[in-house]
Amino acid sequence: MQSSLKILSEHACFGGAQRFYEHDSTVIGLPMRYSVYLPPQAKQAAVPALLYLAGLTCNEETFMIKAGAQRLAAELGLALICPDTSPRGEAPQSIAGATASWDFGIGAGFYLDAIQAPWAQFWRMESYLIKELLPMVTSTLPIDADRIGIFGHSMGGHGALTLALKYPGKFKSLSAFAPICAPTQCPWGEKAFTGYLGSDRSTWAAHDASYLMQSRTTAPYPAGILIDQGLADKFLPEQLHPHLFEAACASVSQALTLRRHAGYDHGYYFISTFMQDHLQHHADRL
């Protein structure tokens, strides 16, 4: 696998290096792309890293270009890792329905392993991230595998919350921007879960952050979780439901800082405004 790893581009950035990679994924069975920002401290020793999961329609470039995260990551000594949001290429595009809508199929992997045909062949983002991407970047780059945090936006916020709750030993810190907090109870989640997992809703709960939190007996992140949500976000009323995750956290005494911001929408102007707070949140815990 490592023999197929190639750097597509590299750019000096705040004393560190912004890189874009492609490799042949054994989990997905196709070439996959991801990006990594290495801070200047990585030239001397292994550094902690944050895995960022992007939202619907995004790819491995979106966060690195739009979020304005590299300057502070360089100051804090944090590496940043951003995968693509789904498989891409000729084979996935040939699947009926893969490009028919912006909230399902290509660009909308929902960070889970599909079990329904035809999606189960390639849409295996959960296994890809946990079993392949993270082991690969920590073995090939100066990144400390024992100091990994996770965060994300919208669909990627859903991914960050659910993966952090499924693999608490792997991730030491957690935050999200405008996450889909209860996908079993919103149109985006219902569409994705029906397509990827099937109509048996009993299989859906394993991918719903509010359900996963509520099902725990102790707080998985005692140092706290940070969520920022814009109140001018057009998706807030129907799709995001942060109040349900807030209630789930309260039920197991999980410390949660859920900040609601008047005037902010769902996009990267919102994300970039509060990026410093999120990177500092993770740095303090890593």
Side-chain angles (χ1 to χ4, degrees):
M1 177 176 62
Q2 293 180 12
S3 62
S4 73
L5 182 64
K6 59 182 178 181
I7 299 178
L8 299 176
S9 66
E10 181 172 2
H11 316 273
C13 186
F14 294 104
Q18 176 63 60
R19 296 176 182 171
F20 296 91
Y21 290 90
E22 183 177 83
H23 73 111
D24 294 330
S25 168
T26 56
V27 171
I28 303 293
L30 296 167
M32 291 292 290
R33 292 186 174 188
Y34 64 95
S35 59
V36 175
Y37 175 70
L38 290 174
Q41 295 87 340
K43 298 171 186 175
Q44 279 76 47
V47 296
L50 302 183
L51 177 66
Y52 178 86
L53 305 182
L56 293 164
T57 76
C58 296
N59 60 24
E60 76 286 352
E61 293 182 319
T62 312
F63 170 78
M64 297 301 187
I65 293 171
K66 291 185 173 184
Q70 290 94 335
R71 177 188 60 79
L72 191 66
E75 293 177 11
L76 296 172
L78 293 172
L80 305 171
I81 306 162
C82 186
D84 203 346
T85 53
S86 78
R88 296 182 194 267
E90 291 184 9
Q93 288 178 353
S94 68
I95 295 175
T99 60
S101 57
W102 63 274
D103 56 357
F104 183 79
I106 290 178
F110 273 81
Y111 304 104
L112 51 75
D113 290 352
I115 58 175
Q116 292 292 306
W119 312 104
Q121 181 178 5
F122 300 126
W123 267 253
R124 298 177 48 77
M125 293 301 293
E126 179 178 340
S127 289
Y128 170 66
L129 294 176
I130 300 300
K131 298 178 181 179
E132 187 169 19
L133 180 63
L134 283 177
M136 180 172 61
V137 296
T138 54
S139 64
T140 60
L141 293 171
I143 290 175
D144 186 345
D146 294 324
R147 291 189 291 162
I148 304 291
I150 188 169
F151 67 148
H153 168 234
S154 193
M155 174 187 72
H158 142 77
L161 295 177
T162 54
L163 294 180
L165 292 172
K166 288 184 180 185
Y167 305 96
K170 186 170 290 291
F171 301 106
K172 302 299 190 294
S173 57
L174 171 61
S175 73
F177 298 94
I180 304 171
C181 290
T184 61
Q185 301 181 56
C186 76
W188 278 342
E190 289 178 349
K191 179 177 182 177
F193 288 3
T194 300
Y196 296 141
L197 303 175
S199 58
D200 179 2
R201 296 178 72 100
S202 67
T203 64
W204 295 8
H207 307 282
D208 184 305
S210 295
Y211 180 85
L212 289 171
M213 182 63 78
Q214 185 177 304
S215 301
R216 299 190 64 92
T217 56
T218 59
Y221 289 89
I225 298 168
L226 173 63
I227 292 177
D228 280 303
Q229 174 63 60
L231 293 179
D233 187 331
K234 66 181 180 180
F235 302 116
L236 175 58
E238 188 175 31
Q239 303 283 12
L240 304 180
H241 302 323
H243 64 287
L244 296 179
F245 187 71
E246 186 176 35
C249 286
S251 71
V252 296
S253 300
Q254 168 62 58
L256 170 68
T257 301
L258 172 55
R259 307 190 301 185
R260 297 170 168 91
H261 304 280
Y264 285 91
D265 61 21
H266 196 69
Y268 270 84
Y269 297 114
F270 155 66
I271 293 171
S272 63
T273 300
F274 301 104
M275 181 56 60
Q276 179 171 343
D277 296 343
H278 283 250
L279 295 191
Q280 190 66 60
H281 167 87
H282 289 278
D284 291 344
R285 289 152 181 79
L286 295 176

